[in-house]
Amino acid sequence: MAQNDPEIAQPSMPSVSATIVNLVSIEVDCPADVLWRYLLEEYRDGRKFSRNGYVVVPEEFAGYPLGSYRIRRGTGDTIEDNRLCHRTELDADERRLSMLADYLSVPGGMAVYATYEVQKAAGGSRFVLTSHSTVEVPDPARIAAYKVQFEAGLLAYLNETKTRLEGGYEPSPSQSPEPNDYSGELPVHAEKVRTTVVNHACVTIDRPAAIVWKEILADFTTGRTFAKLGYKIVPFNDPAFPLGAYRMYYASADIVDDRICLITDREEAAMRLGARAEFLSPVANGMLTYAVYQAVPVENGCQYKLDCHSTLDHSVARSATRVEVAQSIDALCRQFDEGLKDAFEKIKERIEAG
């Protein structure tokens, strides 16, 4: 280790904060556009919650220009559920909506990053829901039970959606994908805003999916690719992340990169890997990422896919208006898209070169 490198020590106590990944889907006998309008109706203004007895109150956060709202059920000292919900992605072309929910009434807190996607299918449409839930777990041995419990809740909602739409419910004829109105010309009076951007990347690789899957495992369960770039990789044991955990560190005259990487999901049959990364370097602005990597077989080889939620402190001018902050966040998202595109092209070249 170089003289100026910090010591990379194994954490003295294992984390009790676990991240649980769920991916569920269901076929719905209705056109994809109808299911998409239904999702917008459900989540644009929290109608899903208001019809289930919640009080829904719009909120304004400069870092979440697509809109936010608070939902609450219960009164006084008997608040059953209290959440802040932020829309983090709204892609009408891809029929994809992403949300971040902070569960304020859960002991120890819980944060859920979710993506709702509508795909065309032979029988009409397919509703795909992916979630990353970070929650305090008193006993790591119960993580599997939490995953089953969360999946049951998500499947119940998917089945409720299927029943409503196939039973004749007709969502509003038009659902604008625009964010809620807010005072866009007011300055935010802050140098940083906490925000979340959602990115997706996909490249087709002329190799069998099984080979690409092995590359995904080697790259992200052990940090192999980063080690080849000069990173120091230090594995450690964390009962809350039994699938793997390591810290990676790199320093040069131009950059310092220090991360804790945690494997959150591993599905061999689906060739899908979930990961969470905590960026510790000050220049990383407290970034936290939740990602899913997957190798999907296709006729001409394999699609290597990534879906990623990144939460970080985004620097803005104190005089910036909310509209200008929104434009800056959009530019940040595009910057991440370009970085992932370049990275995936390099991965494709490396794998196809053997």
Side-chain angles (χ1 to χ4, degrees):
M1 182 175 290
Q3 183 177 358
N4 295 326
D5 285 348
E7 291 292 331
I8 304 179
Q10 178 168 323
S12 58
M13 293 184 63
S15 170
V16 294
S17 176
T19 296
I20 297 161
V21 180
N22 294 96
L23 192 153
V24 294
S25 65
I26 197 168
E27 305 283 326
V28 182
D29 186 13
C30 75
D33 287 340
V34 173
L35 177 53
W36 173 241
R37 282 193 284 115
Y38 179 80
L39 287 182
L40 290 176
E41 182 179 277
E42 289 277 90
Y43 289 101
R44 174 179 162 82
D45 301 310
R47 189 176 300 188
K48 168 193 173 182
F49 304 104
S50 58
R51 65 182 170 81
N52 283 292
Y54 285 82
V55 174
V56 181
V57 180
E59 298 273 4
E60 289 188 10
F61 292 86
Y64 292 96
L66 291 175
S68 304
Y69 48 84
R70 181 187 297 270
I71 67 169
R72 185 184 292 110
R73 185 165 61 185
T75 58
D77 296 331
T78 58
I79 298 295
E80 302 171 15
D81 196 350
N82 182 17
R83 308 180 213 172
L84 273 176
C85 303
H86 308 287
R87 286 186 292 276
T88 55
E89 178 191 29
L90 209 165
D91 189 331
D93 293 335
E94 297 294 333
R95 302 187 188 90
R96 189 167 55 221
L97 170 72
S98 294
M99 303 280 296
L100 165 60
D102 284 328
Y103 287 66
L104 306 177
S105 53
V106 172
M110 181 167 74
V112 178
Y113 293 78
T115 295
Y116 309 83
E117 185 174 2
V118 176
Q119 302 171 350
K120 290 184 178 179
S125 57
R126 180 180 300 109
F127 183 2
V128 181
L129 199 167
T130 307
S131 68
H132 304 255
S133 305
T134 296
V135 61
E136 296 295 314
V137 178
D139 180 1
R142 295 180 57 195
I143 291 175
Y146 274 68
K147 185 178 178 74
V148 171
Q149 176 187 337
F150 290 174
E151 180 168 316
L154 295 175
L155 285 173
Y157 174 60
L158 264 60
N159 277 292
E160 175 192 335
T161 299
K162 176 182 176 70
T163 299
R164 293 192 82 201
L165 289 174
E166 293 183 353
Y169 179 81
E170 183 67 27
S172 303
S174 63
Q175 286 287 325
S176 170
E178 298 300 320
N180 288 341
D181 294 333
Y182 62 93
S183 304
E185 298 305 318
L186 293 178
V188 297
H189 297 304
E191 294 180 351
K192 290 186 177 182
V193 295
R194 195 72 173 165
T195 190
T196 300
V197 294
V198 184
N199 300 93
H200 309 273
C202 179
V203 67
T204 300
I205 299 176
D206 186 17
R207 290 292 182 273
I211 291 178
V212 176
W213 174 235
K214 288 181 180 179
E215 291 292 315
I216 291 173
L217 292 177
D219 283 348
F220 297 104
T221 62
T222 66
R224 178 196 65 178
T225 297
F226 295 101
K228 290 181 179 179
L229 295 173
Y231 281 78
K232 295 176 176 62
I233 309 294
V234 180
F236 61 88
N237 295 320
D238 188 333
F241 294 93
L243 295 175
Y246 56 91
R247 187 168 178 178
M248 52 184 277
Y249 175 80
Y250 176 85
S252 69
D254 302 318
I255 188 173
V256 174
D257 190 356
D258 188 2
R259 312 181 206 176
I260 291 178
C261 302
L262 307 163
I263 305 304
T264 57
D265 189 38
R266 179 169 172 170
E267 295 289 345
E268 295 287 344
M271 291 183 282
R272 186 176 66 244
L273 186 76
R276 164 180 155 188
E278 302 170 14
F279 291 69
L280 306 179
S281 170
V283 297
N285 292 314
M287 186 159 71
L288 181 64
T289 64
Y290 295 88
V292 171
Y293 305 86
Q294 188 169 15
V296 180
V298 294
E299 184 176 355
N300 55 342
C302 170
Q303 283 189 338
Y304 185 163
K305 303 180 70 174
L306 166 68
D307 302 289
C308 184
H309 303 252
S310 304
T311 295
L312 70 158
D313 295 326
H314 180 53
S315 298
V316 297
R318 287 189 64 86
S319 60
T321 66
R322 290 176 180 269
V323 167
E324 290 169 337
V325 171
Q327 292 168 344
S328 178
I329 292 170
D330 185 59
L332 175 69
C333 188
R334 292 197 305 271
Q335 177 186 337
F336 282 15
D337 279 336
E338 288 301 316
L340 289 172
K341 181 180 177 181
D342 291 344
F344 268 51
E345 287 300 326
K346 291 176 182 178
I347 291 172
K348 172 183 172 72
E349 291 175 6
R350 188 191 79 209
I351 295 177
E352 290 183 347

